[in-house]
Amino acid sequence: GQQVMQIPQYQHVQEGEDFTTYCNSSTTLSNIQWYKQRPGGHPVFLIQLVKSGEVKKQKRLTFQFGEAKKNSSLHITATQTTDVGTYFCAEDLIQGAQKLVFGQGTRLTINP
Amino acid sequence: NAGVTQTPKFQVLKTGQSMTLQCAQDMNHEYMSWYRQDPGMGLRLIHYSVGAGITDQGEVPNGYNVSRSTTEDFPLRLLSAAPSQTSVYFCASSYGQSAEAFFGQGTRLTVV
């Protein structure tokens, strides 16, 4: 079945450093969604990318969708302690129906 | 407006017992789904529903049943609990093509 591979599995940074997580697929993705899950919490939707080469920004977060629609990245500039959590990418196999295939997630920890 | 409500938050079952995890949403969302989250494996789709009376299997449906008699409710039934079903279960809902999935707070289930 479809697989979305996410790397790295863990990332520890000093507060103020940048952070990037990557999602890769062997097949073309119809879309990619990004979620954040705080420790002990539930996933919270961040964004969806649909178009080839799409780039979207949310304050310090930059999301990219590759030209071939086989990879995506989330970059956080100047991390803050509030960024701690696990970041997941996911493909919605039936657009809007929430038939989501998740990557394994990248757990971000930050040294203040 | 409570969003997506899951009950119970915690549950311990003995092997072979059955139980129902409840999920309710008050946002009139068409789409609802159930995921399980295990360490290092991200979230995996169990069952999903695109509307009242319509359900379909996800990636890991064995051992679970669902029904969708109303738009608001999407209960998940464990027929005969097994230790392999120890996990955190999340229910999610969304509306049409909006993409954003709203997750409940989760149910932490332990099967002994």
Side-chain angles (χ1 to χ4, degrees):
Chain A
Q2 286 87 349
Q3 278 195 323
V4 179
M5 307 303 295
Q6 193 171 350
I7 56 170
Q9 191 173 0
Y10 303 98
Q11 184 78 58
H12 180 77
V13 301
Q14 292 288 126
E15 188 174 14
E17 291 182 337
D18 292 357
F19 160 76
T20 305
T21 174
Y22 301 90
C23 270
N24 298 294
S25 173
S26 58
T27 59
T28 302
L29 299 163
S30 57
N31 58 76
I32 195 81
Q33 298 182 10
W34 286 93
Y35 291 81
K36 176 183 179 182
Q37 183 177 26
R38 294 182 185 275
H42 59 280
V44 174
F45 177 86
L46 295 176
I47 209 160
Q48 175 174 267
L49 305 173
V50 178
K51 299 177 182 176
S52 168
E54 192 169 13
V55 178
K56 289 187 177 180
K57 293 189 176 184
Q58 291 178 352
K59 297 182 179 179
R60 295 178 293 104
L61 278 62
T62 301
F63 305 85
Q64 294 190 2
F65 203 7
E67 293 290 343
K69 299 181 72 173
K70 289 187 175 182
N71 56 76
S72 181
S73 65
L74 158 60
H75 180 82
I76 302 177
T77 303
T79 54
Q80 301 174 358
T81 54
T82 54
D83 296 324
V84 164
T86 301
Y87 294 84
F88 293 97
C89 61
E91 181 188 15
D92 192 354
L93 297 181
I94 303 176
Q95 178 62 42
Q98 297 311 325
K99 190 177 181 182
L100 297 172
V101 175
F102 281 84
Q104 298 92 331
T106 296
R107 182 179 173 189
L108 173 64
T109 54
I110 299 174
N111 211 17
Chain B
N1 190 332
V4 179
T5 302
Q6 288 184 238
T7 56
K9 287 187 170 51
F10 302 93
Q11 183 71 51
V12 179
L13 288 179
K14 293 183 179 179
T15 297
Q17 286 185 317
S18 63
M19 80 159 294
T20 299
L21 279 61
Q22 302 292 344
C23 176
Q25 52 92 8
D26 61 359
M27 298 174 283
N28 200 31
H29 284 174
E30 302 170 73
Y31 303 115
M32 297 186 74
S33 50
W34 276 102
Y35 297 86
R36 61 177 289 173
Q37 184 173 31
D38 302 298
M41 298 189 71
L43 288 86
R44 292 182 292 168
L45 181 66
I46 305 171
H47 286 285
Y48 68 104
S49 169
V50 298
I54 306 170
T55 64
D56 205 349
Q57 296 181 351
E59 182 185 354
V60 288
N62 291 341
Y64 308 95
N65 274 0
V66 292
S67 60
R68 184 99 180 268
S69 56
T70 67
T71 300
E72 295 78 18
D73 301 297
F74 191 42
L76 178 72
R77 283 183 287 278
L78 278 69
L79 309 173
S80 177
S84 60
Q85 293 179 304
T86 294
S87 188
V88 180
Y89 291 85
F90 288 101
C91 177
S93 73
S94 68
Y95 178 74
Q97 299 289 312
S98 71
E100 180 173 1
F102 293 83
F103 282 80
Q105 299 294 323
T107 295
R108 186 174 294 274
L109 176 68
T110 302
V111 183
V112 297

